Every structure is written in C-alpha cells, then in structure tokens.
Amino acid sequence: MGKRFASAFLALSCAFGLSVATAGAQAPATSAADAGAPWRVLEGDLGHDRFEHYTELPFDLPPGVTRVTIRFTYDRAQHSVIDLGLRDPQRFRGWGGGAHDHMTLSTEDATQGYLPGPLPAGHWNLILGAPNIRPGAKAHYQAQIFIERKPTITEFADAPLSSHPGWYRGDLHMHSGDSDGHCRSQAGKSVSCPVYRVVETAAARGLDFIALTDHNSTAHFNALRELQPAFDKLLLVPGREITTFWGHSNVFGPTDVLDFRMGSPHWDQARRWIDAAHAEGGIVSINHPGAPSGEICMGCGWRVDDLPQGVADAVEVVNGGTMRETGAADSPLQGFAYWNRLLKSGAHVTGIGGSDSHEADRPLTEAGALGMPTTVVYMPELSVHGLLAGLRSGRVFIDVESTHDRILNLTAKAGPQQAEMGGTLRLRAGDSADLAVEVKGVSSGTLQLIVDGESDGARRVAFAGDASLSLSPWRADGRAHWLRADVRDAQGRLLLVGNPIYIAAAR
Ligand SMILES: [Zn+2]
Ligand SMILES: [Zn+2]
C-alpha cells in the first residue's frame, strides 16, 4: 500500500454540525416535488394598472418545511409578460425573471436563479414583476405552491431520462472538489475539481448514470440540480460517502444532512445516519470493506461489526482505487469476503462496484478512472427512483473493464417459478432448478458458478462470443443457498461479477 492509497482514501475531519434527520417516516411515493395536490394556489389578474410595478403575493409558510416548489402559469395573450421572484421572511431568495416559471428550493439545492438554504416559517412573498401589460389587457395568473414536510428522495430532472426498462451502466462512487477530488487547471495545476468537470467526464465516457459521493458533504447537490437539465442523457444521482473513523458507506437518494459523527464503532452510533437514510427511502452501501485501516488508509476498512441483518442494502465489492493499488478486481482487499459474510448470515445484499475516482482527468486506460468499474443495473426507468429500485432488486452486475456492451444475466427456473439475479426460488429437498446464463460482449472466457461464496468446479463453462449457456441443474437439499456467476477472461482476470439468486427452503 503506497502513499497514493492513503491519499485516495483520505479520511476527512469535518467540523460542521447540523441536526440529524429524524427517523421513522416511510419511503416517499412520488418522484416529483410538485406531484399531487398543491398546498396553496394563489390566483388573480394583473391589469395595466400593475404595468411596470411589482405585485407581492404573500403566503405564510408553516414550520418544518423541507422543500418549497412553485409552478406558475399565466395568460400570455396580448404580449403580457410576468417576471417572478421570491422573498422569505428574512431575505431575498432569488429572481428568475421571465426565464423560470417553475422553481424548487430546499436546504441543499434550488433552481438556478434561486438560493438554497433554510426555509423559515412565516411571511413569504412571491413577487410578480410586470414589464408588459397593455392597456385593457388582463393577465390571469395561477401560482401552485407545493411543500414537503420531511426530506424525501430528490430527482434533479423533472421526468425520467428514459422511461424504458432495461440495463443501465454507471458509476456509483466518485469525488469532486466538494471533498477531495482533483483535476487539472488551465495551467496544469492540480485544483479542487469543480462538479461540472466530473459530470462532463462521465458524459464523455457514455455512462447512463453517476452518483457523485463526496465525503459527508451535501454541497454538491446544488451543482447537480443546475447541471442535470444540460446532461439529459446522464442521470445525476444524489449520493454521499458517509466517512467515519471506522468505515465508509455510500448513501444514495437523500439530500439532507446526515450526521456522520459516530463516537464509537457500534450500531447505536451508526444507526443514527443509517436509520435516517432508510427512513427517507435511501440505500446504504458499505464501501471498500476489505481496505486496510490505520495510517495507511484512515478509517477505510469497515469496522462496525454489530450491524443487524438487513441494514446494509449493498456492498461495494469492487473498488476502483483498490484495483489501482492491488492490480486486481478480486484482491483480498476488495469487498468479496465481507459480502460473503453478510450473504452467509442470510441477508440479501446487492454487490456493486464504484471507481472511487478522485481525479476526473485520469484516463480510462488506468484502473480507478471514473467509470471503472461500471455497475450495470436493470431499472424500470432511468431515474433516481428507478436506480434505487434496481439496486434494491439485486438485478445488477459489475463490469470491471467499463465496457459499453457486456452483459451477464443469470436466471433460474423451477416449474412455474422463475428468478432473476436478486430473486428467490423456494424449493423442497429433491426439487430441481434449471440455471441459464446469458453472456455478451466477451470474446472468450470462462463462466463460473459460485455457490455460497465458493467456486463450483462442476459448473464452470468455457465459451467464445455471445453465448446462452445452460449449467447443470441445481438439486435442492432443503436448505438456503445463494448462487451467482462470474466471468473471467482466458488469463483468469475477473471481467464480470454477477449478483446472487437465492434458494430458500419451501415449507
Ligand atoms: Zn472511502
Ligand atoms: Zn470514496
């Protein structure tokens, strides 16, 4: 382990402290901040008497609001023009003018032209400016105001980037200059990397989604809100790397501050941020659990040993930084041993990858570059909610070399039952299940079935080209098992890592 490894996993000691989100709420059901019925509708007419005047529409915001979203429409006949701005009880919150008729503000992010920050209770004003209302004209307007009273999963896009179910490729772990990510300035200096450079790199590499996961910070979310409309083929997923003295964990989905400051490496401390993330509908993934801890890599290895079953939704099985340092996707310092330990306990946990890129400029020819490894997720749609659903379902594989076309799809069938990766077959002792694997994009290699974390020598198949492979049937023994598949190249290098199909004992 060299110095680079230490810097790649630098543990941050952040001094800011905000309150932790409260646990106990259910996962959100909606994907848009303005779905459902508005909380208030402000409606009226602007006549020529308001031409070149500002008209304030007051509303009293209740305490405890976490997001305000306003959708404004008006009658544009006769060239009427209405500009928009917003004031809270304490300060001016922005002026969208005539450019934005739809704005959303939360503690962390806001529509361009508006300021994110606390949403104080009290007297707010929507400000209407009228640069043009003709004599005799009347512009009817309607402002629909939507509020959220608890943090929910945020979509930075107004609609899914694609509504098609399918495999989508992305990177779930990377850093910008909002923590310790660097890239080159115009003059070639190493500088804190602006968020847009990370996003541009991901887009240039043809990824479908990225989770930017700066250490403990929520500062990058406002930039993601700004960038998403311009990157309408690259889903920007809210993420952060909860970085403690005793391990790192990615949280996908929530955008509000989660208090990461654990006082000891125990569940009663970890649950404060884990329960809050889950209550909001977020996913918790244990990062690089097999990495060393100590001066060589401060706080990197996962050392919270008393996590209850089911708390970890995912494990980062292949970390790009560890690939770079060890030269292997399946080094003992990767996450396979910890993943197997959780699976052995009976938990269903999705194995994922993440580049842990700290340098957006690093070329894709080098391990640990942004996008390497890629995690490929079967999603119902390309949206944040679609990604979370896909990760939760477990129909996921890791593409170690970050290609655009490799597929690994294991399915199992037993009578009327069929399971994809992440699914479960319920079998009685003596029942038989057919195992089929589709592999694409690999010129030649070996498919290996892994049973309960061990290679099954009887189910190893060499193949060439795109292949639909049948493995010898699984004979159930009345006990629980997990079966998954890996693909290696002719030299034995790991290329594709599949997720388990679970075998449960039928009663
Ligand atoms: Zn880390
Ligand atoms: Zn990281």
Side-chain angles (χ1 to χ4, degrees):
M1 294 295 120
K3 215 173 162 191
R4 283 163 59 214
F5 199 88
S7 64
F9 289 110
L10 182 68
L12 300 179
S13 62
C14 297
F16 72 98
L18 289 174
S19 61
V20 68
T22 49
Q26 281 307 302
T30 59
S31 62
D34 55 359
W39 163 75
R40 288 278 185 282
V41 178
L42 308 176
E43 205 162 2
D45 298 304
L46 284 194
H48 184 65
D49 59 321
R50 300 312 297 160
F51 169 56
E52 294 185 337
H53 282 73
Y54 296 103
T55 302
E56 298 210 329
L57 305 182
F59 59 96
D60 283 317
L61 202 69
V65 171
T66 60
R67 182 175 291 280
V68 175
T69 301
I70 300 175
R71 190 173 281 282
F72 188 79
T73 52
Y74 67 97
D75 179 3
R76 295 166 193 258
Q78 295 188 278
H79 297 276
S80 295
V81 176
I82 301 178
D83 291 343
L84 280 189
L86 193 62
R87 235 169 15 93
D88 75 16
Q90 292 150 20
R91 62 174 183 155
F92 193 68
R93 289 302 285 265
W95 185 254
H100 302 293
D101 55 10
H102 178 212
M103 68 269 225
T104 184
L105 297 86
S106 77
T107 315
E108 280 72 34
D109 64 84
T111 302
Q112 274 189 289
Y114 292 88
L115 298 170
L119 305 172
H123 210 55
W124 286 59
N125 276 290
L126 182 64
I127 308 165
L128 312 187
N132 199 41
I133 306 270
R134 288 177 179 175
K138 246 191 181 36
H140 185 75
Y141 63 80
Q142 187 188 65
Q144 293 184 312
I145 306 175
F146 302 82
I147 60 173
E148 292 177 3
R149 294 170 189 267
K150 58 178 189 276
T152 53
I153 301 299
T154 296
E155 301 271 359
F156 297 121
D158 288 342
L161 271 53
S162 166
S163 53
H164 296 294
W167 293 108
Y168 291 99
R169 298 170 182 271
D171 187 348
L172 290 166
H173 189 167
M174 68 193 65
H175 299 272
S176 78
D178 277 323
S179 57
D180 52 352
H182 287 81
C183 52
R184 295 283 160 195
S185 70
Q186 284 184 305
K189 278 191 302 193
S190 178
V191 295
S192 284
C193 198
V195 172
Y196 85 89
R197 291 274 296 276
V198 177
V199 173
E200 278 187 340
T201 301
R205 291 180 183 177
L207 298 178
D208 299 314
F209 64 88
I210 54 167
L212 176 54
T213 53
D214 278 312
H215 294 284
N216 293 329
S217 180
T218 56
H220 50 296
F221 296 138
N222 198 44
L224 296 182
R225 163 82 58 195
E226 177 194 1
L227 293 168
Q228 181 68 84
F231 291 88
D232 48 6
K233 295 180 178 175
L234 173 66
L235 179 73
L236 304 179
V237 179
R240 86 197 70 180
E241 185 169 17
I242 294 284
T243 304
T244 80
F245 300 132
W246 301 284
H248 301 181
S249 168
N250 275 348
V251 171
F252 304 117
T255 49
D256 58 318
V257 169
L258 299 174
D259 194 343
F260 54 89
R261 297 168 302 166
M262 290 164 54
S264 67
H266 298 299
W267 168 236
D268 66 326
Q269 296 286 303
R271 73 175 307 166
R272 294 185 306 151
W273 55 267
I274 292 178
D275 284 351
H278 281 153
E280 292 176 38
I283 279 192
V284 172
S285 173
I286 308 300
N287 288 353
H288 47 69
S293 288
E295 282 188 4
I296 195 166
C297 193
M298 291 165 283
C300 294
W302 186 257
R303 290 182 287 157
V304 184
D305 280 335
D306 55 352
L307 283 190
Q309 193 190 84
V311 163
D313 305 294
V315 168
E316 186 184 67
V317 178
V318 181
N319 174 280
T322 309
M323 272 169 65
R324 189 170 69 249
E325 295 305 321
T326 65
D330 53 355
S331 138
L333 296 180
Q334 294 283 14
F336 287 91
Y338 184 74
W339 188 31
N340 284 337
R341 208 171 104 197
L342 295 186
L343 292 170
K344 197 170 179 180
S345 76
H348 293 195
V349 186
T350 305
I352 63 175
S355 72
D356 207 355
S357 160
H358 283 70
E359 294 148 311
D361 298 335
R362 185 181 288 280
L364 200 48
T365 49
E366 296 178 16
L370 199 163
M372 187 188 291
T374 300
T375 303
V376 190
V377 183
Y378 196 91
M379 299 187 201
E381 62 181 24
L382 185 57
S383 67
V384 174
H385 284 80
L387 172 71
L388 299 181
L391 290 175
R392 233 172 232 125
S393 80
R395 195 170 176 197
V396 172
F397 66 91
I398 304 167
D399 181 349
V400 171
E401 294 186 339
S402 188
T403 72
H404 294 293
D405 57 351
R406 287 184 181 162
I407 293 286
L408 170 60
N409 195 23
L410 170 68
T411 53
K413 267 188 201 165
Q417 298 182 68
Q418 174 159 345
E420 308 285 351
M421 291 185 284
T424 302
L425 285 186
R426 299 186 181 283
L427 303 177
R428 293 175 202 281
D431 283 353
S432 166
D434 293 325
L435 304 176
V437 188
E438 182 188 21
V439 185
K440 283 185 181 168
V442 178
S443 56
S444 67
T446 307
L447 176 90
Q448 171 70 68
L449 193 77
I450 312 287
V451 178
D452 300 338
E454 304 286 340
S455 297
D456 174 358
R459 294 184 178 88
R460 178 179 298 147
V461 183
F463 66 90
D466 294 353
S468 293
L469 307 166
S470 301
L471 301 175
S472 40
W474 173 259
R475 302 276 175 212
D477 58 5
R479 295 203 297 268
H481 297 278
W482 76 94
L483 318 177
R484 54 174 211 87
D486 285 346
V487 170
R488 291 175 185 272
D489 68 9
Q491 288 73 43
R493 284 187 299 248
L494 189 58
L495 301 181
L496 301 170
V497 179
N499 263 278
I501 288 176
Y502 301 94
I503 306 292
R507 281 191 238 163

